[in-house]
Amino acid sequence: MSPRPATRAPLRRAEIVIDLAAIRHNVSRLREYLRTPIMTVVKADGYGHGLVEAARAAREGGADWLGVASADEALALRAAGDQGRLLAWLIMPSEPVEDLVAADIDVTAYTVTDLEKFAAAGDALGRTPRVQLKVDTGLSRGGAAFADWSNLVALARILEAEGALRVTGIWSHFASGEDPADPASALQEKVFAEAVTIAEQAGLRPEVRHLANSAGALLRPSARLDLVRVGVATYGIDPAPGVDGSPWAELGLVPAMTVRAELALVKRIDAGAGVSYNHTWVAEEPTTVGLIPVGYAEGIQRRAGNRASVWVGGVQRPVRGTVCMDQIMVDLGDDTSIEPGAEVVLWGTGADGEPTAQDWAEASETIAYEIVTRIGGRMKRRYVDSEQEGDQ
Ligand SMILES: *Cc1c(COP(=O)(O)O)cnc(C)c1O
């Protein structure tokens, strides 16, 4: 596939361009490399790429499952026509689950109360809910505490024997999948294997056992099991940047998101002029600055002020001064070729030398996950397909 998404379309103000071919390509490449069925995680509006659109592209790329956090996300995928296997894992005590069961969504149980609720919904509907059991192997977040696991499994088996539900999976989640030096992952794998053994001894025969997120799947072959839950790598973002021995470089995944804007204004400023609120940057020499119409209301990190770069006229140029609600400033130096209306790429694939979401993460002292999931505000998303003719 072409490494550069089709962004050379007329530009109005600012937009988020999503290359669906990149998502398709990434899913298919990951599936081929990992040799394991894939659950593509599309929670949080597809990590900022669009829930329904990302899900569709992932299915086209071969995603065996989709994974989401909330009930609403799962139901939105069904409403959009997705009919494949789909797991939700953060269902609230206040939420009715009949709709999920009726829509053939695999639901996750953490507690015996969850199991009873799913069984009751199945009973009311005359259907057999598909339930996955989550065990906490050390993250201390969702899932049954290991001490409660035998109880959960025992009730699940009773309900299954009664035909009240079917246990389709057992799963857990890594605390530090992106850090191969952290012994936590090996320990979690061991605890998970014990939990699976306990479930099997109780008579459960789940279809899938799964543990790994993107980083776990890429860095720990032993954690791939029956299924891997791949989120961030789907979107072409390295889950473990800078980790030795990571296969990332050989994978050839492509970032799917490009954020671009037009320059609102270009002007000369004098030496000594302070730029943006509180004059956190002061020009040492006369220079030319450009005004970019996006700010923290669009999800641009305020920390990135004076640290990030943007790509204008074929080169990266520094953001100057504080990030405001609606705007940021870029230093164009003495380049007189840049005019108002010129294209600014905040981040993209990096193929033409533009910054990436990872560069923005470093400038913002966060992770690229946060960069892509927070971007939005007044910006609209536009979908392109770099493998389709006539879309360039
Ligand atoms: C978000 C999430 C994932 C995906 O994680 P990535 O690091 O983006 O691959 C997998 N499993 C669970 C339970 C999650 O919440």
Side-chain angles (χ1 to χ4, degrees):
M1 63 167 296
S2 111
R4 169 102 170 134
T7 59
R8 291 179 188 86
L11 176 58
R12 285 278 166 80
R13 195 178 179 95
E15 65 177 7
I16 302 164
V17 184
I18 304 297
D19 183 8
L20 296 170
I23 296 176
R24 269 199 319 268
H25 163 84
N26 294 343
V27 171
S28 112
R29 186 71 192 100
L30 282 159
R31 213 165 165 276
E32 167 188 81
Y33 176 82
L34 297 169
R35 299 179 175 281
T36 308
I38 285 201
M39 176 187 291
T40 298
V41 180
V42 292
K43 65 187 180 188
D45 212 5
Y47 287 53
H49 296 67
L51 172 72
V52 168
E53 293 83 354
R56 203 169 285 145
R59 290 288 195 201
E60 287 167 9
D64 304 273
W65 287 72
L66 297 177
V68 293
S70 76
D72 286 352
E73 291 170 324
L75 292 170
L77 288 172
R78 288 292 190 244
D82 188 90
Q83 297 183 338
R85 294 304 287 273
L86 167 57
L87 176 68
W89 55 70
L90 198 52
I91 297 154
M92 296 295 108
S94 65
E95 282 175 319
V97 293
E98 279 77 6
D99 287 355
L100 298 172
V101 172
D104 252 342
I105 293 157
D106 285 62
V107 288
T108 302
Y110 298 167
T111 65
V112 295
T113 310
D114 291 342
L115 285 179
E116 284 158 358
K117 184 170 157 183
F118 297 144
D123 192 38
L125 292 163
R127 295 181 77 106
T128 310
R130 284 202 290 246
V131 179
Q132 302 212 0
L133 308 180
K134 183 177 185 192
V135 57
D136 179 3
T137 53
L139 179 60
S140 303
R141 204 178 68 180
F146 194 77
D148 300 328
W149 180 245
S150 298
N151 248 343
L152 185 70
V153 157
L155 179 62
R157 181 58 198 137
I158 289 168
L159 292 169
E160 191 173 67
E162 289 172 356
L165 52 76
R166 159 112 190 89
V167 175
T168 56
I170 293 179
W171 65 279
S172 190
H173 193 45
F174 278 132
S176 319
E178 74 290 354
D179 181 3
D182 191 329
S185 300
L187 190 59
Q188 285 190 266
E189 276 185 51
K190 192 164 158 284
V191 175
F192 187 68
E194 283 170 34
V196 169
T197 302
I198 291 169
E200 285 172 351
Q201 281 168 352
L204 294 177
R205 296 287 177 272
E207 284 168 57
V208 286
R209 300 157 306 152
H210 49 108
L211 178 57
N213 56 358
S214 296
L218 290 172
L219 302 176
R220 300 187 71 81
S222 58
R224 290 175 196 159
L225 308 179
D226 303 320
L227 185 65
V228 289
R229 299 186 309 273
V230 177
V232 81
T234 305
Y235 309 100
I237 291 170
D238 186 349
V243 165
D244 276 350
S246 164
W248 186 258
E250 70 185 81
L251 271 169
L253 304 190
V254 180
M257 177 187 288
T258 296
V259 176
R260 63 201 284 262
E262 67 175 314
L263 275 182
L265 173 73
V266 173
K267 68 180 171 195
R268 286 298 282 179
I269 58 171
D270 294 333
V275 171
S276 193
Y277 288 132
N278 307 113
H279 292 171
T280 58
W281 187 80
V282 177
E284 281 177 11
E285 291 163 21
T287 190
T288 303
V289 289
L291 172 61
I292 305 169
V294 297
Y296 60 77
E298 273 63 51
I300 299 295
Q301 305 265 328
R302 207 162 165 277
R303 285 225 155 200
N306 288 316
R307 299 174 193 227
S309 297
V310 298
W311 189 85
V312 193
V315 288
Q316 287 195 23
R317 305 173 191 264
V319 170
R320 298 297 195 202
T322 307
V323 172
C324 309
M325 191 183 292
D326 319 306
Q327 41 205 307
I328 54 178
M329 301 302 292
V330 56
D331 191 348
L332 303 171
D334 291 325
D335 193 331
T336 54
S337 69
I338 311 293
E339 294 183 347
E343 181 194 34
V344 180
V345 178
L346 284 88
W347 63 82
T349 67
D352 287 347
E354 73 273 36
T356 60
Q358 178 58 29
D359 293 327
W360 274 79
E362 286 164 24
S364 312
E365 294 180 335
T366 183
I367 52 178
Y369 293 71
E370 192 182 356
I371 298 297
V372 291
T373 53
R374 281 192 182 243
I375 195 72
R378 288 159 288 192
M379 267 189 274
K380 289 208 171 62
R381 272 191 220 113
R382 185 163 60 83
Y383 291 91
V384 299
D385 191 320
S386 61
E387 280 174 349
Q388 232 68 145
E389 285 292 319
D391 203 46
Q392 305 293 315

